[in-house]
Amino acid sequence: MPTKTQVATPPLIRWIRLPLAIAAGALMALGLAPYDLWYLGLAGLCSAFWLFRAAPVGLFAVGTGWGVGLGYFGVALGWIVEPFMVDAAATGWMAPFALLGMSGGLALFWALAFWLAGHNARSPAIALVLTWSAAELARAYVFTGFPWALLSYVLMPTPAMQWVSVFGPHGLTFALLSLAAMMVGAIRSTSNQRLLAGGAAVTVTVLFGGGWLLSPPMQDLSDRPYVRLIQPNAEQHEKWDPRMIPVFFERQLKLTEASAIEGGQKPALIVWPETALPVMLERADDALGMVADAAAGAQVVVGLQRGGEGTYFNSLALLNGEGQLAQVYDKHHLVPFGEYMPAAAVFKRWNIAGLAARADGGYTPGPGPTLLEMGKLGLALPLICYEAVFPQDVYRSPSRPDFLLQITNDAWFGKWSGPYQHLAQARIRAIEQGLPMLRAANTGVSAVIDGAGRIVADLDLGVAGKVDAPLPAPLRVTVYSRFGDLPTLILLIVLCIGLFRPRLRKTD
């Protein structure tokens, strides 16, 4: 006889729970870009709750949570093998270990969430909503954080994504998990079926209908200044080839000095992607002079590297309208194993350098978020590649900027899911802040995005060219831009205390 804290697991579920959990997680990942099948993502999420309710305790719960995470992250992060294949002879052997290690490691967050939820015999499904939401929040911060492919991102193709401007991505994750729990409960429950079905219907209405109402109207951009985004399409295996470096540099110069925009207007700002300049900043006077000449009076943002005394920075340089170096920003949120090596001395002993081969352990982080002064264009918050993945790196801006500016080299991500997922997250940052985003990507997708996350103009993956478009004006100051993740954190703490507190026994 099972006790109050144990559940009799059906024999079929007992033996195939792990493959079923992996399949449910893989189905969830189809809600992300480039697939954007959000309804399959929701179906996979409901399947995960169904499997948990069938075996909510002990190792059954841990295995279910870990399997769901392994399937989800295995599909969502499939692009992670691409950087290791750029120099396949040297680093290709690491690719399968990187994918399995990253997927299995991130899945531990979910395994812990399922295990903790199983300890609440009164309401395990409600407990899972709370612990799973908390696990996703923790994933964004713990060990420098890795909030790529957050659960709420499966709603990106729908109006519901506009809620991130209010609650942020973690608040939306909580709402999405609540919806899935209610949907499964309405099917399985006998006593509360109508109540759960009604709750699910209300949640759907609020998420999708409310998101539609939150969507700002299209802006009139007729009087806005134009910007130009440069996309050289330098494949990563060719980018630093001495024979190709001058080819890509000349290509970017020609795109910079291209004919005026329709109507005779000239761009007020020209943006080159991450590490677009082939020389270090300390030796870049001639190259920057050529860039300034090609820009013909426009401000220019250029991605490049700089260093000194054994340190190297992944940087962004701003040239003013006179062609002078006005500001430099150093990337502060670096990619572990890609731009720096954690415990570099340990890995060096084993002759493992990851992809951070420059210097001893890779780049040095910059001091933190800063703002670029761009004259009549206003203030820009620079984000170099990976930094646009972190909501907290944006709302921690010194003050509210007028637009977000991302330069990136997505050639590292291959040609399938990675670049499109990165673009989707840039669009979500714009929605969260109510600010336009300029995104210059080496191989694509370069895009001008408005404060509602809509793409105003873009250049697709694998194409060399430029994007000329008006810079949208900033929209309303959002709730999320003021308070960040703090309200969601407080909500989860309060609810967890209420649900997991020990019951006080009555005494005579």
Side-chain angles (χ1 to χ4, degrees):
M1 292 289 291
T3 65
K4 290 183 178 180
T5 58
Q6 293 177 327
V7 175
T9 307
L12 180 63
I13 296 295
R14 184 182 305 148
W15 290 107
I16 66 170
R17 66 185 182 280
L18 185 58
L20 287 176
I22 294 172
L27 188 63
M28 288 164 53
L30 295 182
L32 302 171
Y35 317 102
D36 291 329
L37 303 173
W38 66 268
Y39 42 88
L40 291 185
L42 181 57
L45 197 56
C46 290
S47 301
F49 271 92
W50 189 286
L51 289 169
F52 172 74
R53 287 177 65 109
V57 296
L59 292 178
F60 292 114
V62 171
T64 300
W66 188 80
V68 171
L70 184 66
Y72 179 78
F73 293 114
V75 174
L77 303 180
W79 54 266
I80 209 167
V81 303
E82 296 289 347
F84 298 92
M85 302 310 295
V86 172
D87 186 3
T91 58
W93 65 272
M94 301 181 190
F97 297 101
L99 179 57
L100 183 60
M102 180 66 82
S103 303
L106 293 174
L108 293 175
F109 283 93
W110 293 11
L112 178 60
F114 277 59
W115 179 76
L116 289 172
H119 280 69
N120 189 283
R122 290 174 289 170
S123 306
I126 297 175
L128 182 58
V129 171
L130 298 178
T131 58
W132 204 347
S133 299
E136 284 292 86
L137 183 58
R139 181 163 71 89
Y141 288 89
V142 174
F143 304 127
T144 78
F146 188 71
W148 193 288
L150 292 174
L151 274 176
S152 58
Y153 294 173
V154 302
L155 294 174
M156 181 61 207
T158 75
M161 187 51 66
Q162 294 296 325
W163 280 107
V164 297
S165 65
V166 181
F167 305 121
H170 302 296
L172 187 57
T173 291
F174 175 75
L176 178 62
L177 290 171
S178 299
L179 172 61
M182 285 186 285
M183 292 175 68
V184 173
I187 297 172
R188 290 178 58 99
S189 177
T190 55
S191 57
N192 298 319
Q193 191 172 43
R194 290 185 179 180
L195 178 62
L196 291 169
V202 170
T203 303
V204 168
T205 301
V206 171
L207 280 178
F208 291 83
W212 179 76
L213 292 174
L214 283 171
S215 301
M218 293 291 294
Q219 293 177 289
D220 180 5
L221 303 178
S222 57
D223 60 344
R224 296 293 298 168
Y226 268 76
V227 296
R228 173 171 292 170
L229 310 179
I230 304 301
Q231 182 170 303
N233 193 36
E235 296 285 351
Q236 194 58 41
H237 68 280
E238 296 180 327
K239 182 174 171 64
W240 300 113
D241 184 333
R243 296 168 299 177
M244 295 301 296
I245 285 175
V247 174
F248 295 132
F249 182 62
E250 287 294 329
R251 181 181 297 174
Q252 291 175 109
L253 288 177
K254 289 182 180 179
L255 292 170
T256 299
E257 65 185 5
S259 59
I261 299 162
E262 185 177 352
Q265 187 175 356
K266 293 184 177 179
L269 172 66
I270 299 171
V271 185
W272 288 30
E274 180 185 15
T275 59
L277 210 65
V279 293
M280 303 288 286
L281 178 60
E282 295 74 28
R283 301 188 295 270
D285 288 349
D286 291 342
L288 290 175
M290 298 171 69
V291 173
D293 290 342
Q299 297 181 91
V300 185
V301 163
V302 178
L304 75 177
Q305 301 171 89
R306 73 177 191 90
E309 299 182 0
T311 60
Y312 295 86
F313 298 89
N314 187 354
S315 304
L316 172 154
L318 170 64
L319 303 179
N320 61 23
E322 287 74 44
Q324 300 169 334
L325 183 63
Q327 280 183 264
V328 175
Y329 165 71
D330 297 320
K331 184 177 182 180
H332 69 277
H333 208 141
L334 303 177
V335 182
F337 301 99
E339 292 179 311
Y340 77 99
M341 288 296 293
V346 175
F347 286 101
K348 188 176 182 181
R349 176 174 295 183
W350 291 92
N351 198 30
I352 297 176
L355 300 174
R358 181 177 293 281
D360 271 343
Y363 290 119
T364 299
T370 188
L371 293 174
L372 302 177
E373 298 273 358
M374 298 223 172
K376 65 180 181 179
L377 294 181
L379 297 172
L381 178 68
L383 303 165
I384 299 180
C385 189
Y386 185 60
E387 291 176 325
V389 174
F390 294 85
Q392 61 266 36
D393 282 353
V394 180
Y395 71 68
R396 287 176 180 167
S397 171
S399 62
R400 180 173 168 82
D402 295 287
F403 62 98
L404 308 175
L405 174 63
Q406 183 193 17
I407 62 171
T408 184
N409 176 21
D410 287 2
W412 285 109
F413 298 162
K415 298 181 178 180
W416 183 235
S417 61
Y420 293 107
Q421 289 177 11
H422 205 195
L423 171 66
Q425 290 172 93
R427 295 174 61 192
I428 294 168
R429 299 295 85 80
I431 300 171
E432 290 166 354
Q433 302 297 317
L435 293 173
M437 166 84 80
L438 301 182
R439 185 175 196 269
N442 170 25
T443 54
V445 177
S446 298
V448 175
I449 303 165
D450 72 7
R454 292 180 291 247
I455 294 178
V456 175
D458 67 337
L459 190 61
D460 206 356
L461 194 64
V463 178
K466 59 183 176 62
V467 177
D468 289 336
L471 172 64
L475 299 178
R476 77 288 191 202
V477 177
T478 66
V479 175
Y480 185 71
S481 68
R482 288 185 176 274
F483 301 104
D485 294 322
L486 184 60
T488 299
L489 176 62
I490 293 174
L491 175 66
L492 291 176
I493 291 174
V494 170
L495 293 178
C496 283
I497 291 173
L499 189 64
F500 284 93
R501 76 185 188 280
R503 282 184 171 179
L504 298 177
R505 294 182 179 179
K506 292 182 179 180
T507 58
D508 295 333

